[in-house]
Amino acid sequence: MSNHLKHLVLEMSVGMSAYVLILGALAVFFRNGLAGAGFSLGPVLVGLFLGFAADVVMLVHMAVITERAADSRDEGYANRTTVIQSAIRRVVFIIALVILGSRPQIDAVAMIIGALGLKAGALLQPTVHRTFFGEQEQNPEESTIEERRTVYGNDENSDGSSRA
């Protein structure tokens, strides 16, 4: 996995962990309400943590598959690979949910809610990036604008006319 992709996975993982920590704190705060609804605090917290763990595994798998598909430079292969691997991820998660959710020590609903942290991690990634890594200067070689100038020519000072 490239360094850029590893950094992105780390930033998303920070957002996912914040999501799960907030939900865990809310579960502790509202434990009497959970008990009144028939949920015990322990299994809910374990379910949230297992949902987070599943998210991290799915995120790393998505990153590896995406990089492999992009490196292939074959549109058909990339499409087939991403669709098949996505289906495999879903089936494996559902199997893990059924197996682990049938245990009394793990709340399956909390595991599903914890697994929604992948979406929260994606939404929080820009904020995490600006908060923790915003002041790092980007190398000109990695800049998209610099890459375009290198490939297509530096036309920032052109006046757009075609005088000959």
Side-chain angles (χ1 to χ4, degrees):
M1 208 171 7
S2 69
N3 286 335
H4 176 71
L5 203 52
K6 286 178 187 177
H7 195 72
L8 185 64
V9 168
L10 173 68
E11 290 172 355
M12 285 184 65
S13 296
V14 169
M16 292 173 355
S17 63
Y19 169 81
V20 170
L21 288 174
I22 290 170
L23 286 180
L26 287 172
V28 169
F29 185 73
F30 293 112
R31 68 176 155 245
N32 293 334
L34 285 173
F39 295 101
S40 299
L41 181 62
V44 168
L45 293 176
V46 172
L48 286 173
F49 174 75
L50 288 176
F52 170 73
D55 275 350
V56 171
V57 170
M58 288 189 285
L59 179 62
V60 170
H61 183 256
M62 281 188 272
V64 169
I65 294 303
T66 301
E67 192 168 56
R68 186 188 322 161
D71 287 343
S72 74
R73 299 188 187 271
D74 179 14
E75 184 180 347
Y77 171 79
N79 190 27
R80 279 190 313 274
T81 300
T82 54
V83 168
I84 290 170
Q85 294 298 325
S86 174
I88 290 171
R89 256 192 322 273
R90 289 177 187 167
V91 168
V92 168
F93 179 74
I94 290 170
I95 291 170
L97 180 66
V98 168
I99 291 171
L100 295 174
S102 64
R103 311 228 185 261
Q105 300 88 359
I106 301 168
D107 186 39
V109 174
M111 191 171 165
I112 293 170
I113 292 171
L116 293 175
L118 193 58
K119 304 236 185 262
L123 292 172
L124 290 173
Q125 184 273 331
T127 305
V128 170
H129 179 75
R130 278 191 306 271
T131 303
F132 295 111
F133 306 104
E135 59 273 347
Q136 290 180 356
E137 193 65 33
Q138 187 177 10
N139 293 334
E141 299 88 57
E142 295 176 9
S143 170
T144 305
I145 294 171
E146 291 297 324
E147 179 183 345
R148 288 181 183 162
R149 287 182 181 156
T150 303
V151 173
Y152 301 110
N154 188 359
D155 61 350
E156 69 183 12
N157 295 325
S158 70
D159 60 0
S161 65
S162 58
R163 289 183 242 172

